Amino acid sequence: MFDNDGTLWSEQPNYVQLVFAIDRVKALAPKHPEWRITQPFQAALEGDLLALRRQGEGGLLKLITATHAGMSTTDYSKIVSEWLSIAVHPTHKRPYTEMVYLPMLEVLSYFKKHGFKNYIVSGGGVEFMRPWSERVYGIPPEQVIGSSIKTKLVSRNGAPELIRLPEINFIDDKGEKPVAIHQFIGRRPIAAFGNSDGDLEMLQWVTAGSGARLGVIIHHTDNEREVAYDRKSSIGRLDKALDEAAIRNWLVVSMQSDWAQIFRK
Amino acid sequence: MFDNDGTLWSEQPNYVQLVFAIDRVKALAPKHPEWRITQPFQAALEGDLLALRRQGEGGLLKLITATHAGMSTTDYSKIVSEWLSIAVHPTHKRPYTEMVYLPMLEVLSYFKKHGFKNYIVSGGGVEFMRPWSERVYGIPPEQVIGSSIKTKLVSRNGAPELIRLPEINFIDDKGEKPVAIHQFIGRRPIAAFGNSDGDLEMLQWVTAGSGARLGVIIHHTDNEREVAYDRKSSIGRLDKALDEAAIRNWLVVSMQSDWAQIFRK
């Protein structure tokens, strides 16, 4: 089980999906003049990330449901793919799908080669990851678990289509990660990789199973090649899980000292 | 995508999971004296299937939440396995896991041999099928999609466990089958097998995709070796989907004339 943001790819300076949502607000704004004076849309339009953060999780969910719904699942997938093909990381100036950690790609392929099924278990939107997870990570869409909004089967010109509704279905974070894993897979996995307190319950649950278990925390310690952050970060805070790692014998990987190379070339 | 009840195994004279639920009511009854005079429990205790059916879907769900919840997912899985190891089909006098259709096992293994991933997509409880799907069908738990109740992560003697709550999470039937498939798999499958109107939307959605598609209906036409039923049956009614099969060119398989052998030896 692999968390995505901060574990497989960079989550700094902002979650990629948040950047996507902001760009979606900008693209849809001409049809929503009221957004210019309504939060969280105003903050998004003004690119004011601090104001956006002040809207809390409620504001974030409002942003997601307003910009990620109202289209078919097929159309949404296209929108994501198109956006990823042109969006560029603000400081590294590379596409986000290249902001993936080389050592983690090596771990993924090592497991795969030895007959394991790799899964992503992310707080991010499951449909935001599926269009590119196979190409970038070698993980097929059916092995991606994430947050989701509700969908509904409708008939469009006589053809059935799934339409994305502006309503949250499931938030795949913290204590819900084990719930989602069990719902999707029906058994307790034997290894879990995470980088933040959002992965704590998944790590606890996975490593509490019987037999050999592996818990790994990716610790962002490299301020030169990436961003150093942990206990006080507003994105990907790693605090309780770092304490627990010492007690539970989880492997803590220091990006600075353990990784010869961070990003894919 | 394979429906389970009536497509991979027999659903007559009653859904296997309903028989299980009734046996669970009997096992738990000593702790619930009020059940003797409360529906749907009274009907279950008296083995009065007609009275039980009169309670409708609401009664059925009440039965499920009262008997399938309150234990860990691990304990539930054990209860299911133990029950299946002793329960016997009322007329064929064989374990239910032997009441599976031989030609369907052949189809499953044919697909698997050719690199396909087989999935079960059933209105039945996902956790009711997962303990035996791999042994009986060669389908691993993570390729079983079904109805579910909610679960919650709790700490038991310091160890995290998922507890089954008496609350429905998802009913995987009719228009919800495509919704569930998309949620679990994230792409539109290319083949679907069903036997009732509960599979209609899945068949429509799967076969409406682009490229080659396969829709198959298993038609219960053999009253000697199995049970003949379709348009008016209260279990597994096949009516609209039979009409639509003719229009959409779905393959309708007659169990009587197309299947040399019905059950596994």
Side-chain angles (χ1 to χ4, degrees):
Chain A
M1 302 295 119
F2 294 86
D3 169 59
N4 186 40
D5 295 311
T7 299
L8 295 181
W9 76 350
S10 174
E11 62 189 349
Q12 297 283 0
N14 289 296
Y15 292 122
V16 181
Q17 194 176 353
L18 178 63
V19 184
F20 168 73
I22 291 172
D23 282 358
R24 288 284 300 156
V25 169
K26 289 175 184 164
L28 296 169
K31 284 186 185 166
H32 297 274
E34 76 282 7
W35 283 358
R36 301 187 60 170
I37 50 161
T38 322
Q39 294 297 10
F41 306 102
Q42 185 182 345
L45 286 172
E46 293 169 357
D48 187 344
L49 271 296
L50 282 179
L52 198 52
R53 217 164 276 164
R54 275 197 300 274
Q55 305 296 317
E57 196 182 272
L60 191 65
L61 295 181
K62 214 181 262 184
L63 212 63
I64 297 286
T65 50
T67 59
H68 287 50
M71 71 289 276
S72 74
T73 53
T74 316
D75 288 345
Y76 177 76
S77 174
K78 273 185 211 147
I79 292 167
V80 170
S81 295
E82 280 168 19
W83 182 82
L84 280 171
S85 73
I86 53 165
V88 167
H89 188 275
T91 59
H92 288 260
K93 308 293 179 196
R94 304 173 65 179
Y96 288 104
T97 46
E98 291 183 10
M99 297 298 294
V100 298
Y101 305 129
L102 178 70
M104 294 308 296
L105 295 179
E106 292 169 353
V107 168
L108 288 173
S109 96
Y110 182 84
F111 271 111
K112 197 174 174 180
K113 213 175 92 184
H114 287 81
F116 289 83
K117 267 189 186 177
N118 296 323
Y119 276 79
I120 292 173
V121 184
S122 170
V126 63
E127 294 306 303
F128 183 72
M129 298 177 281
R130 282 173 166 168
W132 51 273
S133 63
E134 183 138 39
R135 177 174 58 84
V136 174
Y137 299 135
I139 296 177
E142 64 270 22
Q143 286 162 226
V144 181
I145 300 171
S147 298
S148 56
I149 61 177
K150 289 191 189 289
T151 63
K152 188 182 161 59
L153 188 70
V154 300
S155 179
R156 260 197 186 176
N157 310 323
E161 274 275 21
L162 290 167
I163 298 297
R164 292 169 59 84
L165 305 177
E167 196 184 335
I168 298 296
N169 179 56
F170 188 81
I171 304 286
D172 186 33
D173 200 21
K174 302 190 172 75
E176 299 301 303
K177 284 199 173 189
V179 167
I181 293 169
H182 182 77
Q183 197 189 329
F184 275 74
I185 304 180
R187 39 184 165 179
R188 201 187 291 220
I190 67 159
F193 291 68
N195 78 298
S196 80
D197 284 358
D199 304 311
L200 175 60
E201 286 86 351
M202 171 172 75
L203 282 156
Q204 288 172 329
W205 181 67
V206 165
T207 58
S210 58
R213 303 278 157 164
L214 175 65
V216 179
I217 287 180
I218 307 303
H219 193 185
H220 293 264
T221 48
D222 196 317
N223 219 8
E224 270 186 36
R225 298 181 296 167
E226 209 233 6
V227 185
Y229 60 100
D230 48 32
R231 295 191 187 270
K232 291 180 181 191
S233 175
S234 61
I235 295 173
R237 176 172 303 168
L238 174 65
D239 187 35
K240 280 191 218 165
L242 197 54
D243 293 336
E244 190 125 344
I247 302 163
R248 306 243 178 221
N249 253 330
W250 299 336
L251 194 65
V252 178
V253 174
S254 164
M255 289 177 70
Q256 186 180 41
S257 51
D258 295 328
W259 286 6
Q261 190 180 324
I262 292 194
F263 295 110
R264 215 169 69 170
K265 278 245 167 92
Chain B
M1 301 296 119
F2 294 86
D3 170 59
N4 186 42
D5 295 311
T7 299
L8 295 180
W9 76 353
S10 174
E11 62 188 351
Q12 296 284 0
N14 289 297
Y15 292 121
V16 180
Q17 194 175 353
L18 179 62
V19 184
F20 169 73
I22 291 171
D23 282 358
R24 289 282 302 155
V25 169
K26 289 174 183 163
L28 296 170
K31 284 187 184 166
H32 297 274
E34 76 282 7
W35 283 359
R36 301 187 60 170
I37 49 161
T38 321
Q39 295 295 12
F41 306 102
Q42 185 183 344
L45 286 172
E46 293 169 356
D48 188 345
L49 271 297
L50 281 179
L52 197 53
R53 217 165 277 165
R54 275 197 298 275
Q55 305 295 318
E57 196 182 271
L60 190 65
L61 294 182
K62 214 181 262 185
L63 212 63
I64 296 286
T65 50
T67 59
H68 288 49
M71 71 289 276
S72 73
T73 53
T74 315
D75 288 345
Y76 177 76
S77 174
K78 272 185 212 146
I79 292 167
V80 170
S81 295
E82 281 168 21
W83 182 81
L84 280 171
S85 73
I86 54 165
V88 168
H89 188 275
T91 58
H92 287 260
K93 309 290 180 198
R94 304 174 65 181
Y96 287 104
T97 46
E98 290 182 12
M99 298 295 294
V100 298
Y101 305 129
L102 178 70
M104 295 308 295
L105 294 179
E106 291 168 353
V107 167
L108 288 172
S109 96
Y110 181 84
F111 270 111
K112 197 174 174 178
K113 214 175 91 183
H114 287 81
F116 288 85
K117 266 188 185 177
N118 296 324
Y119 277 79
I120 292 173
V121 184
S122 169
V126 63
E127 294 305 304
F128 182 73
M129 298 177 282
R130 282 173 166 168
W132 50 273
S133 63
E134 183 138 37
R135 177 174 57 84
V136 175
Y137 299 135
I139 297 177
E142 65 270 22
Q143 286 162 225
V144 181
I145 300 171
S147 298
S148 56
I149 60 178
K150 289 192 190 288
T151 63
K152 189 180 161 59
L153 188 71
V154 301
S155 180
R156 261 196 186 177
N157 310 323
E161 275 275 22
L162 290 168
I163 298 297
R164 292 170 59 84
L165 305 178
E167 196 186 334
I168 297 295
N169 179 55
F170 188 81
I171 305 286
D172 186 33
D173 199 22
K174 302 192 171 73
E176 298 301 303
K177 284 199 174 190
V179 167
I181 294 169
H182 182 77
Q183 198 190 329
F184 275 73
I185 305 179
R187 38 184 165 178
R188 202 188 290 221
I190 68 161
F193 291 68
N195 78 299
S196 80
D197 285 358
D199 304 310
L200 175 61
E201 286 86 351
M202 171 171 76
L203 282 155
Q204 288 172 328
W205 181 66
V206 166
T207 58
S210 58
R213 303 278 159 166
L214 175 65
V216 179
I217 287 181
I218 306 303
H219 193 185
H220 293 264
T221 48
D222 196 316
N223 219 8
E224 271 187 36
R225 297 180 298 167
E226 210 233 7
V227 184
Y229 61 99
D230 48 31
R231 294 189 187 271
K232 291 179 180 192
S233 175
S234 62
I235 293 173
R237 176 172 305 168
L238 174 64
D239 187 35
K240 280 190 216 166
L242 197 54
D243 293 337
E244 189 123 345
I247 301 164
R248 306 244 177 219
N249 253 330
W250 299 337
L251 195 65
V252 179
V253 174
S254 164
M255 289 176 71
Q256 187 181 41
S257 51
D258 294 329
W259 285 6
Q261 189 180 324
I262 292 194
F263 294 110
R264 216 169 69 167
K265 278 247 168 91

